[in-house]
Amino acid sequence: MEIQFPYKVVNNFQGYIFFSEMHHQTKSCFEEQIVLNFANTKVIESNLFAILGSIIAGLERRKNKIRLLNMQEPIQNLFNSKKLINGSARKYLWKCFVKCQQFASVDEEALADYLEKRIFPERPEVKLNKQLKMAVQLCVAEVYRNAFAHSNCKEVFIAHYYSVYNKKLLISIVSQGRPFSLLVNKTLNKRLNGVGAIEWAVENGHTTGKDTHKGIGLYTIRQFIKQNQGKIQIISGDGVWKQVKHRSFSKLHEKEFPGSVITLEFNLQE
């Protein structure tokens, strides 16, 4: 099987839907060779490597062999391309090649280390006040904990992207567990679609937990991101929802994503 990557893979509806469709194309593959062809690709925003890594990890667990071919230099530089031989790695291509981090529920120390030492030190020109840095770390840690407390996932993939042009930091947290709709509908005994479930989950005081995790919640994250003039985008099941400043947008898609992708965009301009 061969999958052609588009010209741009960025943080918009089309970018997330591309990965959802990629999952559906490959979810039944077992002991196959899957080629990811980047011949036409000029731009990838690297926080999306969290989604790519989670899909490739699932493919490798099903004993598929994945090859990444025809990467032009700007794209190749985003990956650990020196570890590739003829487009593939001996084992665990996503670990060797795709720049994202995998965390289990017991990896809170590793997550704290990633947030402290991997994101901001890569950009020494970024000077944050202590309060903003702590808020960024708190929001990411909350989404990480929620994934394990609510969705029953076994692992979380995280990757980030810093835009030099507008000084925005994007962090994507991916979990392949139960989607928002399954959790919310079980709690409410309703039949909401993916968008309706996300819209319910991000409101003040709403939770699908049973005292398993008492954190700041998605509503508080929304409020901080609104104050920061950033963005939050969630894809879960067949729903895609986004908040930009004071406005929210949503769409339904016929091909469901198995779990959730939450992307937090922070404004780092002073």
Side-chain angles (χ1 to χ4, degrees):
M1 177 184 292
E2 180 171 314
I3 296 175
Q4 294 277 347
F5 269 61
Y7 179 78
K8 286 184 177 182
V9 188
V10 297
N11 290 280
N12 56 20
F13 180 75
Q14 289 75 21
Y16 286 84
I17 293 310
F18 167 75
F19 285 111
S20 182
E21 292 180 343
M22 177 180 170
H23 162 74
H24 278 269
Q25 284 179 271
T26 60
K27 67 180 181 180
S28 299
C29 293
F30 180 76
E31 293 186 342
E32 294 185 30
Q33 176 167 279
I34 298 167
V35 174
L36 307 183
N37 192 337
F38 292 84
N40 300 319
T41 308
K42 298 291 186 182
V43 178
I44 297 179
E45 292 182 342
S46 55
N47 64 293
L48 299 174
F49 283 2
I51 314 176
L52 179 60
S54 73
I55 294 173
I56 292 177
L59 289 170
E60 289 182 327
R61 280 194 291 269
R62 300 194 298 276
K63 300 181 180 181
N64 295 290
K65 184 175 182 180
I66 299 91
R67 298 180 68 207
L68 296 90
L69 299 181
N70 300 323
M71 287 184 293
Q72 300 176 52
E73 188 173 346
I75 299 301
Q76 197 173 40
N77 291 339
L78 295 173
F79 293 86
N80 293 316
S81 55
K82 293 181 180 179
K83 296 185 178 182
L84 280 187
I85 301 172
N86 296 323
S88 61
R90 287 184 179 179
K91 194 175 183 181
Y92 301 129
L93 182 141
W94 77 266
K95 288 184 179 180
C96 295
F97 191 63
V98 181
K99 292 182 179 178
C100 66
Q101 300 290 313
Q102 178 196 39
F103 300 95
S105 60
V106 295
D107 291 338
E108 291 226 17
E109 278 192 30
L111 176 66
D113 188 72
Y114 170 79
L115 293 171
E116 180 65 32
K117 298 179 181 178
R118 291 292 304 278
I119 295 179
F120 301 112
E122 290 179 359
R123 293 289 177 181
E125 73 275 17
V126 178
K127 297 180 180 179
L128 296 183
N129 63 60
K130 187 176 180 180
Q131 289 75 19
L132 178 55
K133 185 176 179 180
M134 287 179 62
V136 170
Q137 294 172 335
L138 182 63
C139 289
V140 175
E142 172 70 6
V143 175
Y144 157 86
R145 295 186 189 110
N146 276 341
F148 294 106
H150 301 299
S151 72
N152 198 32
C153 67
K154 295 181 179 179
E155 60 194 1
V156 164
F157 292 81
I158 300 179
H160 65 277
Y161 164 69
Y162 177 71
S163 172
V164 178
Y165 176 73
N166 56 15
K167 295 185 178 179
K168 303 285 188 182
L169 172 67
L170 293 91
I171 305 177
S172 290
I173 304 101
V174 181
S175 58
Q176 290 200 27
R178 294 176 293 191
F180 277 53
S181 55
L182 183 62
L183 296 164
V184 171
N185 287 331
K186 184 177 180 181
T187 300
L188 301 180
N189 194 25
K190 290 186 177 181
R191 298 182 66 180
L192 300 176
N193 59 28
V195 168
I198 296 171
E199 289 175 339
W200 181 89
V202 298
E203 287 300 323
N204 188 25
H206 289 181
T207 179
T208 60
K210 296 180 179 179
D211 298 324
T212 55
H213 164 59
K214 293 183 178 179
I216 61 174
L218 285 173
Y219 178 77
T220 302
I221 293 175
R222 282 183 66 193
Q223 295 304 104
F224 170 73
I225 287 179
K226 186 187 298 183
Q227 183 181 18
N228 178 252
Q229 298 187 0
K231 298 177 185 176
I232 176 172
Q233 182 160 285
I234 301 173
I235 174 172
S236 186
D238 62 354
V240 180
W241 176 91
K242 178 169 66 174
Q243 175 185 293
V244 182
K245 296 181 181 179
H246 297 278
R247 300 183 63 190
S248 62
F249 309 85
S250 59
K251 288 186 179 182
L252 287 170
H253 183 62
E254 60 183 8
K255 295 179 180 177
E256 296 188 1
F257 184 82
S260 301
V261 180
I262 298 181
T263 298
L264 309 175
E265 179 180 314
F266 301 97
N267 174 23
L268 303 188
Q269 298 186 58
E270 295 183 357

